[in-house]
Amino acid sequence: MTDVLAWKVGDRCVMEKTELDRLIAELTKDGYTTLGPTVRDGAIVYDNIGSMADLPEGWTDEQEAATYRLKKRNDKALFGYVVGPHSWKKYLFPPTVSLMQIDRNEAGLAIKSEPENLQRFAFIGVRACELNALAIQDQVFLGGAFVDPIYKSRRDGVFIVAVNCSQAGKTCFCVSMNTGPKATAGFDLALTEMIGEGNHRFLIEMGTERGALLMSKIECFRATEELVQKGEKIVEQTAQQMGRTMNTQGIKDLLYQNLEHARWNQVAERCLSCANCTMVCPTCFCSTVEDVTDLTGDHAERVRKWDSCFTQGFSYTAAGVVRPSVKSRYRQWMTHKLATWIDQFGSSGCVGCGRCITWCPVGIDITQEVAAIRGEKKNSR
């Protein structure tokens, strides 16, 4: 067993697969709600996990535009998939949350606000693109003059176990966005899964002091330079497997200068304005607030829900709907994601995870749309 003071930030060690159960157990013992990937309803989703048995062992995913399916691998990899329909934002920026409840009683009106989140989350299996998405959401909800208290109460103290990608999907383009496939910041521990030569191990990089402290409780040994290089090679090979690319050179000005490009009409003919792309996106943050009452009139509630710039009523003002056409709504989404987001928050709103391509029912591909506006030719699906 390693000594409590053996590890420090930046150290790398190697852990056998079986020790992952202990890592999860230690996080649970420390009071964390452990969340990670699991197979459900024909997809790999994020949910509560209690042990290694809950992970998608031996499963992978096949993705293309408007296509997602699971299939068995020829090994027992625990993280041998890309990303599914869920993103970690559902735990920090919940799809539905009560902001306030009002009840009428004999004394008058009793007002109760949303209680502070008391759970401490441990995210297990966070990919590099998702780490960047979390950083973007932090900027949105925590970085300005007004801090979102619900997001903050959930984000504070999150323990992150990242996983470097050992394969890329056909809709991935994180290399184009400089967001992967290697985790470089924002994690407590970063794992690289290594399978072969009769063993199944994890190369682990310690990103924080609490990550190093956790590893002092796990059976592991210091990584040799050879193993470190092997881990780097896995990630390098993944970077060469990207299924998509996006030319981001001058992209903000490109979109600003082409607001009336003919391509917007062409994509509008296909777009269903269903909002799937914004629901699966790990950075989109549109929401609406609804006030509801019960039939007795004694209880009322104010609820915040995810919304989308693709819904016609989202841009409704006293003067009417600002973006009534599908063209205007798609243009708003893509231009915000890749251009005005930069003006607002100092970075692109896209991390190249490819979810919007995979889960679009008609297979609209944001990388193809950018290429079309540039006048470049790309192979269609």
Side-chain angles (χ1 to χ4, degrees):
M1 182 68 65
T2 55
D3 184 78
V4 172
L5 301 178
W7 304 115
K8 62 181 185 297
V9 176
D11 281 348
R12 291 178 173 87
C13 70
V14 175
M15 175 185 79
E16 295 296 329
K17 170 189 174 183
T18 51
E19 284 296 293
L20 189 57
D21 259 339
R22 184 165 184 177
L23 188 150
I24 295 171
E26 289 291 343
L27 286 169
T28 303
K29 182 180 175 181
D30 288 344
Y32 290 99
T33 298
T34 51
L35 304 162
T38 193
V39 175
R40 191 178 72 229
D41 300 329
I44 295 174
V45 300
Y46 298 144
D47 207 341
N48 292 69
I49 59 171
S51 70
M52 195 167 59
D54 295 321
L55 298 174
E57 182 178 70
W59 286 99
T60 191
D61 48 17
E62 288 185 333
Q63 299 191 42
E64 246 300 351
T67 301
Y68 178 97
R69 61 174 57 89
L70 295 184
K71 72 173 187 177
K72 293 295 290 185
R73 295 173 58 95
N74 57 9
D75 58 29
K76 294 187 177 181
L78 297 173
F79 300 100
Y81 59 94
V82 188
V83 290
H86 285 186
S87 66
W88 300 102
K89 78 175 182 181
K90 73 172 188 170
Y91 295 107
L92 307 178
F93 170 47
T96 302
V97 63
S98 174
L99 301 178
M100 178 178 63
Q101 298 182 37
I102 305 175
D103 289 289
R104 191 200 311 273
N105 53 39
E106 295 179 356
L109 297 178
I111 301 176
K112 181 174 65 175
S113 60
E114 171 71 7
E116 184 175 325
N117 176 63
L118 299 178
Q119 294 186 83
R120 296 169 65 218
F121 298 127
F123 295 164
I124 299 172
V126 183
R127 303 309 175 106
C129 62
E130 297 179 310
L131 288 172
N132 281 271
L134 288 171
I136 289 171
Q137 291 247 300
D138 287 349
Q139 179 67 17
V140 171
F141 290 111
L142 304 176
F146 303 99
V147 172
D148 187 301
I150 296 174
Y151 184 91
K152 185 177 187 305
S153 71
R154 290 169 169 268
R155 183 68 169 97
D156 285 348
V158 171
F159 192 101
I160 294 180
V161 180
V163 172
N164 291 318
C165 292
S166 58
Q167 67 179 54
K170 291 183 179 180
T171 57
C172 292
F173 56 102
C174 65
V175 169
S176 297
M177 309 310 294
N178 296 317
T179 58
K182 179 179 173 57
T184 57
F187 57 84
D188 294 286
L189 298 172
L191 282 56
T192 303
E193 190 167 19
M194 296 179 168
I195 304 175
E197 301 175 0
N199 53 48
H200 192 158
R201 298 177 291 183
F202 289 96
L203 173 67
I204 302 177
E205 179 183 354
M206 293 152 214
T208 64
E209 290 183 2
R210 64 178 179 172
L213 180 60
L214 175 61
M215 289 312 301
S216 72
K217 305 172 185 178
I218 309 298
E219 190 72 38
C220 58
F221 59 90
R222 192 170 299 277
T224 63
E225 185 60 30
E226 181 182 357
L227 284 173
V228 171
Q229 291 300 318
K230 183 178 179 181
E232 294 292 337
K233 186 175 181 180
I234 290 173
V235 177
E236 289 171 6
Q237 290 174 341
T238 304
Q240 296 170 9
Q241 298 170 2
M242 294 290 114
R244 296 289 200 277
T245 59
M246 180 188 288
N247 180 359
T248 61
Q249 184 69 34
I251 195 167
K252 184 179 77 167
D253 291 337
L254 172 75
L255 293 175
Y256 283 168
Q257 293 166 10
N258 285 280
L259 296 179
E260 296 303 326
H261 196 283
R263 185 67 179 190
W264 300 121
N265 288 315
Q266 295 168 18
V267 73
E269 292 177 358
R270 299 170 58 202
C271 178
L272 303 178
S273 199
C274 67
N276 263 21
C277 54
T278 58
M279 294 297 103
V280 297
C281 177
T283 66
C284 279
F285 58 91
C286 289
S287 64
T288 188
V289 175
E290 298 177 357
D291 291 326
V292 294
T293 61
D294 65 5
L295 293 177
T296 68
D298 292 331
H299 176 81
E301 188 170 1
R302 176 162 291 177
V303 180
R304 184 177 74 183
K305 297 180 177 180
W306 285 359
D307 204 344
S308 171
C309 54
F310 277 95
T311 60
Q312 189 175 53
F314 186 75
S315 66
Y316 180 82
T317 67
V321 175
V322 175
R323 291 185 286 273
S325 67
V326 175
K327 167 192 171 181
S328 63
R329 294 197 290 276
Y330 186 89
R331 181 178 58 194
Q332 156 64 23
W333 172 74
M334 189 170 126
T335 303
H336 184 210
K337 187 68 61 179
L338 299 175
T340 56
W341 202 299
I342 298 171
D343 289 331
Q344 279 185 285
F345 306 113
S347 72
S348 171
C350 177
V351 295
C353 69
R355 286 181 175 94
C356 61
I357 304 170
T358 297
W359 296 97
C360 173
V362 296
I364 295 173
D365 181 340
I366 190 173
T367 68
Q368 288 184 4
E369 299 312 311
V370 170
I373 291 174
R374 285 190 184 279
E376 301 171 350
K377 290 185 178 180
K378 270 198 158 190
N379 291 331
S380 60
R381 181 172 68 93

